Amino acid sequence: MSDYRLYYWDLPFRGNFIQMFLEEVDASYERMDASDIYPQRSLKIRNPGMAPPYLYECKSKTYFAQMPACLMHLGREYDCLPKRAEAHTLALKTILDCNDVLMEITNYNGSMMWSKNAWEVFRYSRLPDWMKIFEKTGRAHGLKGGTGNGSGFLLGSRLSVADIATAALFGAMVYSFPALEEDLSENAPHIAGLCRRVESRPKIRRFLQAQREQNGRGYCGGQIEESLRRMIGG
Ligand SMILES: N[C@@H](CCC(=O)N[C@@H](CS)C(=O)NCC(=O)O)C(=O)O
């Protein structure tokens, strides 16, 4: 029996935050399609949640929804949370920041398609500010640039859930939309290096390679991804 089941679609978006973590810690898990729960069973499971991703923990027979909650739960189970109180809270804050960026880049989960004006405000004002927030956090905790991809982690001297979340956010964003790579390297060069280092950790690299071979540059799917591609081009 596997340790976990992850219910999501074959897309990186919110699912990769959890799946990259499960890969990194070598947890055994099964990928299930989101439609196995969502929407019909969403209210029937223990600890119901509104929308995917859902994580099922086999040993406790428990479902968890809300990506940040799933990641914090796994972080505690696998000792991948910072120990100091401030950094521990910043790990949660980082994951919540990531989720806000996902919400913003999809124009509130696709509730409206992007207009050129609104997109430009997001891309040239909000998104650079978000990138600078991550950059400043990393630099304050010892993230280094220098040759190659730099060194260090977002919140201290060892890998934590915050690094996985940061790479799941910006790594997927620039892979799916290569034009945004320059935005990241200009506004958050240390974060760009961190994402490359996290993405090249052996288990994560193997997972991403397989996912990208299978799904190409797919991001969040649906009409909102088409709208994003019309704005960014490609
Ligand atoms: N805050 C939730 C958001 C979940 C969410 O919006 N999931 C998207 C896919 S990534 C979805 O299926 N939305 C459809 C809905 O809300 O009904 C989380 O972080 O897990």
Side-chain angles (χ1 to χ4, degrees), residues 132-153:
K132 287 173 194 160
I133 287 167
F134 281 78
E135 181 77 359
K136 193 161 182 205
T137 302
R139 285 190 192 212
H141 292 86
L143 195 57
K144 296 273 185 305
T147 51
N149 292 328
S151 61
F153 297 99

Side-chain angles (χ1 to χ4, degrees), residues 44-87:
K44 299 195 179 108
I45 58 175
R46 183 166 164 218
N47 303 339
M50 184 58 90
Y54 299 94
L55 178 72
Y56 180 73
E57 185 175 64
C58 301
K59 71 174 180 189
S60 58
K61 298 192 173 66
T62 311
Y63 287 94
F64 296 104
Q66 292 281 13
M67 179 276 281
C70 299
L71 209 42
M72 289 300 283
H73 181 79
L74 290 172
R76 192 177 49 245
E77 286 291 310
Y78 288 89
D79 193 21
C80 273
L81 284 167
K83 299 274 179 281
R84 280 190 315 112
E86 179 191 346

Side-chain angles (χ1 to χ4, degrees), residues 79-109:
D79 193 21
C80 273
L81 284 167
K83 299 274 179 281
R84 280 190 315 112
E86 179 191 346
H88 186 284
T89 301
L90 287 180
L92 172 59
K93 185 258 188 198
T94 298
I95 302 169
L96 294 172
D97 279 352
C98 290
N99 224 11
D100 281 5
V101 178
L102 296 183
M103 184 82 100
E104 290 190 23
I105 199 171
T106 53
N107 219 353
Y108 296 85
N109 285 345

Side-chain angles (χ1 to χ4, degrees), residues 203-218:
K203 291 169 200 139
I204 292 180
R205 190 183 60 227
R206 272 198 298 278
F207 156 62
L208 289 177
Q209 209 168 346
Q211 183 182 57
R212 288 168 181 178
E213 269 167 27
Q214 199 186 317
N215 301 328
R217 295 192 188 268

Side-chain angles (χ1 to χ4, degrees), residues 105-106 110 113-114 177 218-234:
I105 199 171
T106 53
M113 296 304 108
W114 281 109
F177 303 103
Y219 185 60
C220 55
Q223 291 180 347
I224 191 61
E225 177 162 345
E226 288 169 24
S227 174
L228 270 169
R229 293 201 180 282
R230 278 195 297 277
M231 295 299 128
I232 304 172

